[in-house]
Amino acid sequence: MATSWCLTSMRNSLLKVVKFSVIQGRNTQIGENFVQRLKACTCSHLIQHRSYYDNTLTSENQKFVYQWNLLKHQFGPSPLKDSPWPRQDWKPGSKRTGLIAVKLGMYPMWTKSGKKFVTTALQIQDCNVIRYVPPDIAPGDDQTGKNAAIEVGAKNASPLYMDKGLTHKFHDACVPLKQRTVLFYVTENSAIQPGTPLYATHFRPGMYVDCCGKTIGKGFQGVMKRWGMKGQPASHGQTKTHRRMGATGGGGSPGRIWKGKKMPGPMGNKWRWTRCLKIWRINTRHNIIFVEGNVSGSKGGFVKIKDSLNNRFENDPPPFPTHYPEDGDALAEELYDEDLHEMLQESVAFEEEEEEER
Amino acid sequence: MKNYDHDNLCPGGNVRHFASQDSSGKDEPPTNSKSPSDNEVDAIPERLSPDNKAATLPAPKISLDLLRRRQAQKKDQEQVEKFITPEIYPPMGRRSKILDYLERQDCFKRRMVMDIPEFYVGSILAVTMADPHANGKTSRLVGICIERKNYGLGASFKLRNVIDGQGLEVLYELYSPLLHKLEVLKLEKRTDAHLLYLRDALPEYSTIDPDMIAIKHPPGRPVPVNDIVVKMKPRPWHRRWERYELKGLDVSGVSQSRMATVQDHILPEYKKMDLLMMYPRYDITEKERMRIEREWEVHQNELERTAKKGS
């Protein structure tokens, strides 16, 4: 730290001197050359960039800039101010967008038969559609070109810490800057106008969803923890081999190690899907979805949610392309699944069965 | 066991419960035979009367004014603290406040349906629970609460009893919908945070008559503390209980060689008083604590309102 600071101060003072001399009209021959050489100094990797964008702002002004970032888009030419896009009905085979949520924690619940289970609480925070990509432009994995894509952003971000090159898409949609954006592949009939907010009521209790979270990083791990290999015994003449890998493959015939051999390395910190999780309860006021079981990731991490293939929408189609709260009647604050025991219901009682007479 | 008497449950212990106060006052020997039988001295309530140790000393003369003043002081000291269930305070950690709020509200909703009274570790409870395998589809258990654990909807308590010479412990979830009724047969506190050492104590300390009649606790009075000291069975024990700094445990039977190692496993005094070490334990801010207490008050008022409507 101290060395880098010294270097920076020395470099800055030298630059000042050189610039001054350039302005004064002296040593012009070596001046510019010297500046360039200083800029490409070998110790540039040690120099710390201390001047952030907000370094000169007071705390009050920082708050003001953040709030202005949330507000200023309302005055812009929002795409929502145009005429609304035509909405189509759900057909078999059509794909809706997903959402981005924040994992809050775990929550216990009981079924109507008195069985206890745990759920994961996922909150949808400031979720907006940012961009609709038509099928001819969409970079989808579908080669037929049928699939379009919708970019969704979540959780408002401060403009002070965002690269300006990334802000254009938010300005186009007239939404505040977002911390995370995800591209969901959809069918063409479920297109949503950019700028529309997405809520937890995009889903309904009883539906099944797939969730994707970033697993907790474990760092560089050995082979026993990372892949569950057996290791070697603790005693009986073992020398320095207790948690090692063992053999890595054949001898002369391949003459090499096969690709993809399980070896020590960094573990965790990867996006992992958990499929087919039932939604038990939805809080419409705070936009919280309660999903059965575990979702990978730590508390406060981002989670992608989308429809599972397990759903049977033929008889009961979902809100399509998404739920618009201004259209229909207001929903209740808490939406429960049919099998869930609500806390205001009476205690579970087992009925006495009549004995069969033989 | 059959002829249950709640006073015999704690032999040698000094139980200060108020239900049997009148009888205990009569049984006490006269304070001092030599002391003059003044009206002032007779007016002293039994709580001011000296203990057995102090009985040998001559009783002081107290004027009526001083007596009233002292009584008033005592009343001020005995003002009952407001009871708030311990499980609604969130544990320390990186937590979501909204989720904690929802969990608290769910606890209160369950309390609107089922009456969950105030109870502590050491009080005697009777729990009726739905059981598909029992006769009449409900089972009832009477026992001492030996442990209270966990937060929010996951809160649980453990009951212990000895039935037909066999020790029995059942873990109940406080907010489980299978719970039908929770009665407090005797409201009491103990000096320890948990009574898990009753497993290795003599069985008379955890035997309770299943047909026990409830002793009513007068409302508005402080909860009595039972400072009984439990005698243990000979070794082996489940744990080395002498290492846990338990007040209600008789460690006189433990050998000297074992007691010599106790000090290595107890936190030294200077670490207990260390403010820096205490700091992370009190994670809830004062603001958050006030908010929780306010929510609890609102819930209590609602309960009262519904009770009035029902009556």
Side-chain angles (χ1 to χ4, degrees):
Chain A
M1 281 291 291
T3 51
S4 66
W5 182 82
C6 283
L7 284 167
T8 45
S9 57
M10 276 168 64
R11 181 172 164 272
N12 288 341
S13 55
L14 272 170
L15 275 171
K16 269 178 196 170
V17 168
V18 170
K19 274 178 188 171
F20 182 74
S21 57
V22 167
I23 291 162
Q24 291 295 313
R26 285 174 284 169
N27 301 327
T28 43
Q29 289 179 353
I30 59 159
E32 288 179 10
N33 210 355
F34 192 53
V35 170
Q36 282 171 7
R37 219 183 282 168
L38 262 179
K39 278 183 179 173
C41 186
T42 48
C43 56
S44 62
H45 64 282
L46 286 172
I47 294 162
Q48 292 187 345
H49 298 281
R50 280 155 186 272
S51 58
Y52 291 113
Y53 178 53
D54 63 334
N55 209 9
T56 51
L57 289 179
T58 59
S59 60
E60 288 175 3
N61 278 345
Q62 276 184 33
K63 276 179 195 170
F64 173 76
V65 169
Y66 184 76
Q67 284 174 0
W68 172 243
N69 171 50
L70 304 185
L71 283 173
K72 69 179 177 185
H73 303 276
Q74 294 176 7
F75 312 113
S78 171
L80 287 177
K81 285 176 182 171
D82 304 336
S83 59
W85 291 7
R87 288 175 204 164
Q88 299 178 29
D89 290 337
W90 185 87
K91 282 180 227 165
S94 50
K95 246 184 182 176
R96 302 191 304 154
T97 49
L99 302 181
I100 310 171
V102 175
K103 184 174 165 177
L104 295 187
M106 306 293 280
Y107 202 87
M109 283 181 191
W110 286 269
T111 58
K112 271 182 180 163
S113 58
K115 201 187 167 193
K116 192 188 180 187
F117 62 96
V118 283
T119 54
T120 310
L122 305 168
Q123 192 181 30
I124 280 101
Q125 293 182 0
D126 323 315
C127 205
N128 282 79
V129 172
I130 286 161
R131 196 158 58 104
Y132 170 70
V133 192
D136 47 337
I137 313 169
D141 47 357
D142 195 348
Q143 296 299 321
T144 53
K146 281 179 187 173
N147 274 6
I150 285 177
E151 193 168 12
V152 174
K155 209 169 179 183
N156 292 342
S158 170
L160 304 178
Y161 299 98
M162 187 167 266
D163 192 3
K164 271 202 171 178
L166 298 171
T167 56
H168 296 304
K169 56 186 174 187
F170 302 113
H171 290 310
D172 292 346
C174 263
V175 290
L177 309 183
K178 304 287 176 183
Q179 282 191 16
R180 161 103 22 214
T181 54
V182 172
L183 206 66
F184 288 103
Y185 294 110
V186 295
T187 47
E188 206 176 350
N189 59 349
S190 61
I192 307 175
Q193 210 167 2
T196 45
L198 300 172
Y199 302 104
T201 43
H202 184 73
F203 300 105
R204 290 287 147 85
M207 280 167 61
Y208 289 87
V209 288
D210 297 342
C211 294
C212 184
K214 207 169 199 186
T215 56
I216 296 167
K218 305 281 194 296
F220 195 98
Q221 287 301 327
V223 105
M224 278 178 77
K225 185 167 184 175
R226 198 180 178 209
W227 301 111
M229 289 184 185
K230 203 180 175 185
Q232 286 81 32
S235 65
H236 287 66
Q238 301 291 319
T239 48
K240 298 181 181 177
T241 49
H242 304 290
R243 300 180 62 86
R244 295 183 77 170
M245 186 165 57
T248 49
S253 69
R256 61 192 169 91
I257 295 172
W258 294 111
K259 272 188 179 176
K261 174 78 193 96
K262 289 171 178 173
M263 283 192 173
M267 186 180 169
N269 203 17
K270 280 180 180 176
W271 291 98
R272 287 284 175 268
W273 284 98
T274 341
R275 309 269 180 196
C276 215
L277 306 172
K278 193 182 177 182
I279 294 176
W280 283 94
R281 175 181 158 183
I282 287 173
N283 188 307
T284 54
R285 193 180 166 200
H286 298 293
N287 278 311
I288 302 176
I289 302 175
F290 294 86
V291 150
E292 182 168 1
N294 307 322
V295 176
S296 51
S298 58
K299 282 179 200 170
F302 286 106
V303 176
K304 296 182 242 175
I305 315 174
K306 67 176 189 182
D307 288 333
S308 173
L309 291 175
N310 198 36
N311 287 314
R312 290 178 182 171
F313 288 142
E314 281 81 9
N315 302 323
D316 184 20
F320 196 81
T322 183
H323 175 70
Y324 295 95
E326 63 272 9
D327 283 6
D329 301 330
L331 290 168
E333 192 182 321
E334 297 280 357
L335 305 175
Y336 296 103
D337 190 72
E338 290 173 357
D339 299 337
L340 192 74
H341 175 266
E342 296 168 28
M343 281 294 153
L344 277 174
Q345 286 173 344
E346 286 187 359
S347 308
V348 175
F350 298 108
E351 291 179 3
E352 282 193 70
E353 294 167 6
E354 292 178 4
E355 289 183 4
E356 292 177 5
E357 290 179 6
R358 286 181 181 175
Chain B
M1 186 182 124
K2 282 172 189 172
N3 301 325
Y4 174 78
D5 187 8
H6 58 83
D7 283 345
N8 286 347
L9 182 72
C10 20
N14 179 22
V15 189
R16 301 192 297 267
H17 48 75
F18 299 98
S20 61
Q21 226 175 36
D22 305 329
S23 63
S24 63
K26 281 170 192 170
D27 294 342
E28 275 187 8
T31 51
N32 199 348
S33 57
K34 285 178 186 176
S35 65
S37 59
D38 290 338
N39 292 330
E40 294 170 0
V41 175
D42 287 348
I44 298 170
E46 46 154 23
R47 228 179 273 143
L48 282 177
S49 72
D51 297 338
N52 294 334
K53 278 184 183 176
T56 52
L57 298 169
K61 266 197 172 184
I62 305 170
S63 64
L64 273 172
D65 288 353
L66 192 69
L67 192 72
R68 275 170 202 150
R69 234 179 289 151
R70 279 195 185 178
Q71 278 177 346
Q73 279 179 2
K74 281 257 170 185
K75 270 189 184 175
D76 288 342
Q77 286 171 8
E78 281 180 7
Q79 269 186 351
V80 187
E81 288 180 8
K82 274 185 185 175
F83 172 74
I84 299 177
T85 44
E87 73 264 8
I88 58 168
Y89 290 115
M92 66 181 264
R94 205 171 114 189
R95 305 188 64 82
S96 158
K97 279 180 186 173
I98 289 177
L99 202 64
D100 282 343
Y101 170 77
L102 285 183
E103 197 156 358
R104 251 176 275 138
Q105 291 303 315
D106 270 7
C107 291
F108 297 156
K109 278 178 188 171
R110 178 70 188 151
R111 276 165 180 272
M112 298 293 282
V113 178
M114 201 192 77
D115 180 35
I116 298 175
E118 165 189 1
F119 70 97
Y120 302 90
V121 168
S123 37
I124 296 168
L125 307 179
V127 175
T128 37
M129 196 175 183
D131 188 358
H133 308 297
N135 275 341
K137 302 292 174 189
T138 51
S139 64
R140 186 172 186 267
L141 184 77
V142 175
I144 308 184
C145 175
I146 57 168
E147 200 182 23
R148 281 189 80 165
K149 257 175 117 178
N150 292 351
Y151 157 72
L153 290 170
S156 63
F157 61 96
K158 221 177 255 177
L159 285 196
R160 182 180 167 81
N161 201 349
V162 178
I163 293 169
D164 296 342
Q166 177 67 49
L168 183 76
E169 277 180 23
V170 180
L171 184 90
Y172 290 103
E173 286 163 356
L174 198 59
Y175 293 99
S176 167
L178 292 174
L179 221 64
H180 278 213
K181 208 176 180 186
L182 189 67
E183 300 162 83
V184 178
L185 302 185
K186 190 180 176 187
L187 191 66
E188 205 175 69
K189 278 180 188 174
R190 291 284 186 105
T191 44
D192 295 319
H194 67 84
L195 301 178
L196 292 176
Y197 55 83
L198 285 184
R199 293 165 181 173
D200 296 320
L202 292 174
E204 66 204 60
Y205 293 104
S206 44
T207 36
I208 294 146
D209 184 16
D211 305 324
M212 180 183 165
I213 302 162
I215 302 164
K216 262 203 168 183
H217 177 74
R221 303 298 293 276
V223 180
V225 181
N226 187 352
D227 53 0
I228 183 178
V229 179
V230 165
K231 283 181 184 172
M232 302 294 278
K233 276 193 264 185
R235 281 181 181 280
W237 294 344
H238 284 92
R239 288 185 204 170
R240 299 189 174 187
W241 296 116
E242 72 271 8
R243 288 181 178 177
Y244 288 82
E245 293 186 281
L246 298 163
K247 287 173 189 167
L249 186 69
D250 185 16
V251 286
S252 58
V254 183
S255 65
Q256 282 190 353
S257 58
R258 283 190 185 276
M259 288 303 286
T261 59
V262 165
Q263 284 302 320
D264 305 339
H265 296 87
I266 293 175
L267 264 183
E269 198 68 17
Y270 73 91
K271 275 194 179 176
K272 278 180 198 169
M273 309 303 289
D274 195 346
L275 284 173
L276 273 177
M277 286 183 78
M278 269 154 122
Y279 173 69
R281 287 180 218 159
Y282 301 104
D283 199 43
I284 313 174
T285 54
E286 195 60 31
K287 202 176 168 188
E288 191 71 16
R289 193 182 293 276
M290 294 284 278
R291 187 186 295 154
I292 291 168
E293 283 168 12
R294 219 177 301 131
E295 281 173 25
W296 174 257
E297 254 178 44
V298 170
H299 163 65
Q300 292 295 322
N301 294 338
E302 265 192 33
L303 270 181
E304 277 180 21
R305 226 175 291 143
T306 47
K308 275 179 189 173
K309 271 186 189 175
S311 63

